[in-house]
Structure formats: structure tokens, C-alpha cells
Amino acid sequence: MYRVRHAALACALALAAGGLFTGAAQARGRAAADSGPSPQLRSMLREVSARNIEHSIRTLAAFGTRHTLSSQDDPVRGIGAARDWIFDQFSQSAAASDGRMTVQRQSFIQPAGPRIPTPVTITNLVATLRGTQPESADRVYVVSGHYDSRCTDVLDFTCDAPGADDDASGVAAVLELARVMAKRKLDATVIFMAVAGEEQNLFGSAFFAAQAKAQGMDVEGMFTNDIIGSSTSDTGRRDPFTVRLFSEGVPTTETPAQAALRQSIGGENDGPSRQLARYVKEVAENSATAMHVRLIWRRDRFLRGGDQISFLQQGYPAARFTEPAENFAHQHQNVRVEDGVQFGDLPEFVDFNYTARVARVNGAALWSLAMAPTAPKEAKILTAQLTNDTTLTWRANPEPDLAGYQVVWRESTDPLWTHTIKVGNVTSFTIKDLSKDNVQVGVRAVDRDGNRSPVSFPVPAS
Ligand SMILES: [Zn+2]
């Protein structure tokens, strides 16, 4: 008993002392009030037009169906007509980009499978806005929506499938972002994409992501916008200023060795997709977007998936934007009236201003990512000796406009980073009297304009 009491007393004293020092460190680390989006970002977001988005959604719905197995050469009805229209829209944006944006049709033949009765050509439309900072131009962010649609029977390619919310809304947002961003010079590269074959099993995005991986493309973040058209739930509740952002914690591609490390030190809430989602909340939840980004710590909704999974399967960080509460009478349904209830994914159920706000959230995230330095590479936490200090090291960033780094931390139970220390242009830093056993720590890079990278979560130095 004595020994236990003694140990408890010693522990209490240590906590008190640690508390004092930690308190000092925490005071030192408290973040300064965020000044919010820069004037350049604000003016870019103001250009995002709900009227353009409405026009795109109505045009896409008017192709009758955009089923992956529908006609590819009918100029009026079917996925081929939609494909050509999207290509033209991207091309118009590229024409205003001073050569920075190029547009590509990425076609491949998908072999027969459970949802593909005969081999079919699938085409992704890919608009690449090349970064202008040589040290950053090979760093890529992808924003995507799927332009294929379906009705009740996933194999029925003749029924009307207007797909206004699922997912003309996502494609319209991507087209509008391409239009607005093509005129701007970004440090890193942004790819605006409309994929097909999503409803048949994510085929278009899977092909793109596999090709990207094979080429060694450095995709440091991917967002799919899928079902971002309505802010009204099936009970009529409106939530027009919220968007959900789904992100996984444990990476889909985690190896057994990585799993063993995670089990020993934690980190199940600090995978790269989770850091990307935290980043979006930091840079896109503000007066310029008027939106609340509801982070959901789950790869996707129950029973369902989306194009972000194709990127996760290749080891790329990715997350999914979706409206706050879905109305299933307007998804994957034949257009019909039953007992006075209108079924079907029709433009009349889309809130175009809402979709424009979600597009602004994407715009704020993409612009911030593409203007900021890359997240520091090879972030390590020193564990050679038992100590109650925390020392991080990382590799120096390559960007010429780099200002320095920030070390951040939070309680292990806190969702978001709560403390920041500006540490200057160094590649290691020790936080005195802050034990790595008790908090989550990370490091991010900052440029001279104050643009911050996502946080790198360190692994123990071996
Ligand atoms: Zn969808």
C-alpha cells in the first residue's frame, strides 16, 4: 500500500511540474488568430457562379441518360454526347489559360464483368492545369466528379437517368472550378476530371489512379465530389451551409509492418487522408465559403463507395465531399410518380447555390494546397532515448518561396491541431517538456505568403 501511495504521490508531483511546463509550452504554441483567406483567394471564390453550375447540371440531365453502356455516338442522347460536351467545356477553359491547361480524353476498354455485360469503352475527361513553380509543378492535386448516371436497374442503359445530383452536381462543380482556376497561376498542378463507369464499379477513376501510379505521379491529394446537389434531407430538413467530408484514418494500403508500428505508437487518426481532411476544414471553413465542413471519420457511407477509393487503393490521400443528408427517392431511381411522390434524380431537386458553395470549399482547398509548399517529407520523431521532450526532424523542402516550418500538436483525443510553434527554416526542433507520449505532434511547411502545407505525421526514427 505504501509503495502504491508513494508512487501515486510522485506521479501527482510529476504531473504538477509537467503541467506547469506544458502550460508554458502550450501558451507558446497557441495559434495566432487566422487572418482567413487571402484577397486573391477571395476574388477567385467570388467568380464561382451558381448560374454556370445550374446550366451545366441542366445540360447534363438533358442528355437523357449518361449510363456507361448507353450510346457513345448519338449526338443528343447518351454518354457519348455528355462526354463531348464536357470535353468542350474544359477546352473553353483551357483556351483562357495561356497554355497552362491541357485537356485529354483518357479512353480504355473495360472488359466484361458483373456490371459490364460486354466490353465497353470508358472515357475520362482530364483537364490538367500545370503548376508554374518548377519545384512544385510535379506535385498534383485531383478534383473529380463522375458523369455517368443510372436508374433503378444498374444494367438498364435505356431508361431516363438524369443524374442531376448524382453526379451532374459534382461534374458541374469541377467544370466551374476549371473555368475559374485556369486563368490563375498556381505553384503546383491541379487536375480537373470527369470520370465514367463509377456506377458500374469505379472503373474510370480506378483506371486513372492506376495509370498515375504506374507513371509515378505525385498525387498529394484527391477530392471526389459525388452528390453535392441538395441541402434538403428526405424529411425536408434543410442544412444549406454544411458539406460532409469523408476520410479514412488507417490507410487502405497499410502494410503489416505499418500496422505493427501503428499498434505500438497510435496514429490511426493521423493517416494522410485524415490530415488532408483536417486541412480542408482549416482553409475552407470561413467567411469566403460560408460553409461548415463536417468531417466524418469513415472512408465512405455504409454500403456505398466512391471514386476516392480508387485513389486510396493506389496509396494516394483522398476524401469524398457529399451533401449533408441524402434523399434516396432522388438517387438511382427510375423517374416516376408513386402515390403523389416524385421519384428520380431531377434538376428540380438541386439547390444550385448550395452546389456553388461546395465548389467554393473545393476551390479554397485546391488553391491553398497548390499555392503552399509540399508537406515536409521524411518527418521523424526521435525515440533513441527516453525523454519527456519531443524532437522532430524532417527533410528540407525544395520550394524557393519557403519561409519555414511550424510544429503543431494536439491532445491525443482532440480532433484538430490546437497548438502551433513557428520554428523558422530548420529541419529539426525540440519541444521542451512536452512528452510525445501524451500528445500527437506534426510538422508543416509555410511559404512567404503564409500558405501552409498539410501536416506531416512523423514516424519514429529508426
Ligand atoms: Zn455517385
Side-chain angles (χ1 to χ4, degrees):
M1 282 305 287
Y2 172 77
R3 281 175 66 87
V4 169
R5 268 211 312 274
H6 182 77
L9 182 63
C11 192
L13 286 170
L15 273 175
L20 275 178
F21 288 117
T22 302
Q26 288 184 343
R28 199 167 73 226
R30 229 152 246 153
D34 204 328
S35 53
S38 67
Q40 302 98 296
L41 176 55
R42 281 184 187 279
S43 80
M44 186 187 95
L45 297 179
R46 270 198 298 272
E47 287 181 32
V48 171
S49 156
R51 285 187 61 187
N52 287 346
I53 284 170
E54 174 174 1
H55 179 255
S56 293
I57 291 172
R58 290 191 186 281
T59 302
L60 288 163
F63 292 116
T65 176
R66 305 185 307 278
H67 195 284
T68 296
L69 302 166
S70 64
S71 173
Q72 304 218 2
D73 46 24
D74 185 320
V76 177
R77 183 180 174 89
I79 195 165
R83 172 200 63 208
D84 293 347
W85 183 80
I86 294 166
F87 183 84
D88 287 348
Q89 299 303 300
F90 275 146
S91 299
Q92 284 174 30
S93 296
S97 74
D98 209 8
R100 291 186 300 278
M101 180 181 277
T102 52
V103 187
Q104 193 201 343
R105 298 168 196 256
Q106 183 189 57
S107 292
F108 61 99
I109 295 174
Q110 181 64 41
R115 289 184 167 195
I116 303 275
T118 54
V120 64
T121 298
I122 292 179
T123 302
N124 299 326
L125 293 320
V126 183
T128 302
L129 180 61
R130 181 85 181 153
T132 58
Q133 181 166 275
E135 294 80 1
S136 303
D138 289 336
R139 175 160 49 97
V140 176
Y141 301 96
V142 178
V143 62
S144 181
H146 71 86
Y147 71 98
D148 61 313
S149 66
R150 60 170 286 188
C151 58
T152 306
D153 175 357
V154 70
L155 291 174
D156 184 346
F157 57 88
T158 60
C159 59
D160 277 344
D165 192 354
D166 185 12
D167 180 33
S169 65
V171 173
V174 170
L175 288 174
E176 184 62 359
L177 288 168
R179 185 188 72 81
V180 165
M181 295 179 80
K183 296 179 274 179
R184 292 172 160 82
K185 289 184 180 169
L186 306 175
D187 288 352
T189 292
V190 178
I191 293 180
F192 305 85
M193 184 160 73
V195 300
E198 196 272 351
E199 302 290 8
Q200 309 314 112
N201 195 13
L202 314 179
F203 289 127
S205 58
F207 185 83
F208 179 93
Q211 293 283 112
K213 182 73 175 181
Q215 293 165 21
M217 190 187 286
D218 181 19
V219 179
E220 298 204 0
M222 181 273 185
F223 303 109
T224 186
N225 286 269
D226 196 352
I227 313 178
I228 56 163
S230 170
S231 55
T232 306
S233 76
D234 50 4
T235 59
R237 190 180 68 251
R238 296 199 67 230
D239 195 359
F241 300 102
T242 296
V243 64
R244 290 184 290 171
L245 182 59
F246 288 87
S247 69
E248 70 178 14
V250 175
T252 292
T253 53
E254 185 181 72
T255 64
Q258 289 165 338
L261 182 64
R262 177 172 53 76
Q263 283 157 0
S264 71
I265 62 161
E268 56 277 353
N269 192 14
D270 282 280
S273 297
R274 193 58 54 76
Q275 305 301 357
L276 186 66
R278 284 193 180 97
Y279 184 84
V280 172
K281 192 169 178 76
E282 282 190 4
V283 301
E285 193 171 78
N286 54 49
S287 58
T289 64
M291 288 293 275
H292 165 56
V293 179
R294 182 177 182 185
L295 299 183
I296 298 186
W297 289 351
R298 177 170 284 137
R299 192 170 75 167
D300 209 316
R301 305 145 304 154
F302 281 26
L303 295 175
R304 289 172 302 159
D307 289 316
Q308 82 280 16
I309 293 173
S310 297
F311 285 74
L312 298 173
Q313 286 170 336
Q314 300 295 342
Y316 293 132
R320 174 193 182 120
F321 286 107
T322 296
E323 65 196 29
E326 295 160 81
N327 184 332
F328 302 109
H330 302 151
Q331 271 181 34
H332 302 185
Q333 292 282 348
N334 286 359
V335 179
R336 66 192 190 280
V337 176
E338 248 176 46
D339 299 331
V341 177
Q342 176 73 61
F343 286 81
D345 192 353
L346 297 163
E348 67 196 71
F349 300 117
V350 174
D351 174 350
F352 307 107
N353 287 310
Y354 175 77
T355 304
R357 282 195 291 277
V358 178
R360 290 186 193 107
V361 169
N362 279 263
L366 291 164
W367 190 91
S368 301
L369 286 163
M371 295 305 273
T374 187
K377 304 288 197 247
E378 293 173 34
K380 300 265 170 63
I381 189 160
L382 298 195
T383 54
Q385 293 173 340
L386 293 177
T387 161
N388 285 319
D389 297 338
T390 298
T391 298
L392 298 182
T393 66
W394 57 90
R395 182 148 57 92
N397 270 50
E399 298 85 2
D401 59 340
L402 184 87
Y405 301 88
Q406 296 178 352
V407 168
V408 298
W409 73 90
R410 64 179 204 272
E411 282 292 302
S412 66
T413 51
D414 278 342
L416 304 173
W417 301 108
T418 53
H419 291 81
T420 305
I421 301 180
K422 294 177 180 174
V423 301
N425 196 350
V426 296
T427 55
S428 71
F429 188 76
T430 298
I431 316 172
K432 287 283 186 192
D433 301 308
L434 183 73
S435 172
K436 56 193 165 296
D437 295 334
N438 302 337
V439 295
Q440 304 296 88
V441 296
V443 58
R444 64 188 171 202
V446 187
D447 75 5
R448 287 199 286 265
D449 295 327
N451 297 307
R452 300 182 303 203
S453 76
V455 169
S456 292
F457 184 68
V459 296
S462 52

